[in-house]
Amino acid sequence: MSTGSPDAGFAARVQATAGRLTPAERRVALYFAGHREEVLLASAVALARKAGTSDATVVRAAKALGYDGLDALRRDLADELRRDLSPAGRVARALQDVGDDPNAAFAATLDLHAEAIASLKRSVSPAQFRATVDHVLAAERVAIFGIGPSSAIAGYLAIQLGRFGLDPLVLADTGLLLADRLLRLRRGDLLLVMAYGRVYPELRAVFDRADELGLATVLMTDSLGPAIGGRAGLVLDIPRGRADTISLHTATLAFVEALLVGVAARRPDATLESLRDLNRLRAEVAGPDLAL
């Protein structure tokens, strides 16, 4: 059962029915609209406590909004959240699927990892992978852009490339601090970009600077190819999982580690020599037991 257009969204439904609700029901409905993720997970008693009313009023509010009950309301919210790419919405959807069972969470997460790896095998061709390795080896330096969670992967890639004897630069700052990093870019660099979700100002600024310097660019993304892919020399489709659930970085990390192996395989002598130097330096600093 529903009121109004099913595509209007839950907030629009609340607004359309507000005049027919009692003050207590209206308060609950507004709480529902402002805390959609929590409604998927919390019991009627818990929701009532948060909204300052009774669990019976919570159920009445759901029915007053045009649903058969609280479960039907939750199903409608879940469908809406599937289309909502906010982190909270995706996490709430994942938690609804697994409930409070750790074993279910473990199995579901491993399934998502497996899906991501399988998708990566389909989305990045051997030719694209080889081209990425060639770009890294041809560059005087590899500049790696990634902000938010991607900054950790950018830092990891930079550490490993440095251990292999290459010269990496991490661009992980946001706002004005990014300008200082962009100033360090120079001709001959390869710009490797990890970007997901939306085209934010920092991403535009990075590509603008790359255009100014004539840099080779590789874009790793799951959704921004149509929006900004034309500015990159090579676009790699790196999936982050289904849009309706928690974002995982399995495929990104898998590609990064494959890239490291690919780079090492193309320059084995230089890589091993650099790692031997690292072992020697580690031994000088902390003793031979810490050799890699």
Side-chain angles (χ1 to χ4, degrees):
M1 180 183 302
S2 64
T3 60
S5 168
D7 296 327
F10 185 77
R13 177 192 290 263
V14 171
Q15 184 176 6
T17 58
R20 301 194 298 271
L21 304 179
T22 68
E25 290 168 350
R26 189 179 305 114
R27 186 167 67 250
V28 172
L30 291 173
Y31 186 85
F32 285 165
H35 302 82
R36 297 178 302 162
E37 295 84 6
E38 187 174 346
V39 174
L40 292 180
L41 306 172
S43 66
V45 173
L47 292 172
R49 185 169 58 250
K50 296 276 189 164
T53 187
S54 67
D55 55 334
T57 302
V58 167
V59 175
R60 283 199 302 272
K63 291 182 176 180
L65 288 169
Y67 297 99
D68 294 331
L70 190 57
D71 286 343
L73 183 149
R74 285 187 173 121
R75 285 193 296 272
D76 198 23
L77 279 182
D79 288 339
E80 185 170 292
L81 285 170
R82 287 189 185 98
R83 303 186 296 271
D84 183 353
L85 297 182
S86 72
R90 290 192 296 264
V91 171
R93 175 62 186 168
L95 294 179
Q96 185 191 37
D97 287 342
V98 303
D100 59 358
D101 182 1
N103 290 332
F106 181 62
T109 304
L110 290 184
D111 286 344
L112 288 172
H113 284 313
E115 289 176 18
I117 294 295
S119 181
L120 177 63
K121 288 182 178 180
R122 295 190 299 268
S123 63
V124 175
S125 69
Q128 288 177 314
F129 179 76
R130 187 166 52 250
T132 307
V133 173
D134 289 343
H135 277 306
V136 171
L137 295 176
E140 295 180 11
R141 185 176 57 174
V142 181
I144 310 157
F145 173 81
I147 61 177
S150 297
S151 65
I153 302 178
Y156 169 72
L157 176 56
I159 289 172
Q160 296 297 78
L161 288 175
R163 288 177 172 180
F164 286 5
L166 299 177
D167 185 16
L169 171 67
V170 176
L171 306 173
D173 292 301
T174 59
L176 292 177
L177 289 176
L178 179 61
D180 292 277
R181 288 290 179 177
L182 295 179
L183 191 62
R184 294 183 58 191
L185 289 173
R186 57 179 183 247
R187 298 186 188 279
D189 286 345
L190 167 67
L191 178 63
L192 181 62
V193 175
M194 289 179 273
Y196 302 92
R198 62 187 178 86
V199 180
Y200 32 84
E202 288 87 349
L203 184 57
R204 292 193 187 93
V206 164
F207 274 107
D208 287 346
R209 184 61 171 164
D211 288 344
E212 290 176 9
L213 297 174
L215 305 186
T217 53
V218 176
L219 172 63
M220 300 168 57
T221 186
D222 64 341
S223 58
L224 298 183
I228 204 167
R231 303 191 66 182
L234 178 61
V235 180
L236 303 173
D237 183 9
I238 310 290
R240 287 203 304 171
R242 300 193 309 265
D244 64 334
T245 190
I246 187 170
S247 293
L248 298 176
H249 298 273
T250 313
T252 304
L253 185 56
F255 182 84
V256 161
E257 297 204 310
L259 179 61
L260 289 167
V261 174
V263 168
R266 288 279 299 276
R267 54 191 304 278
D269 293 340
T271 299
L272 292 175
E273 181 180 357
S274 182
L275 290 174
R276 283 192 289 267
D277 281 344
L278 177 61
N279 284 337
R280 177 180 55 79
L281 294 169
R282 280 183 155 219
E284 291 179 4
V285 170
D289 291 341
L290 290 182
L292 292 176

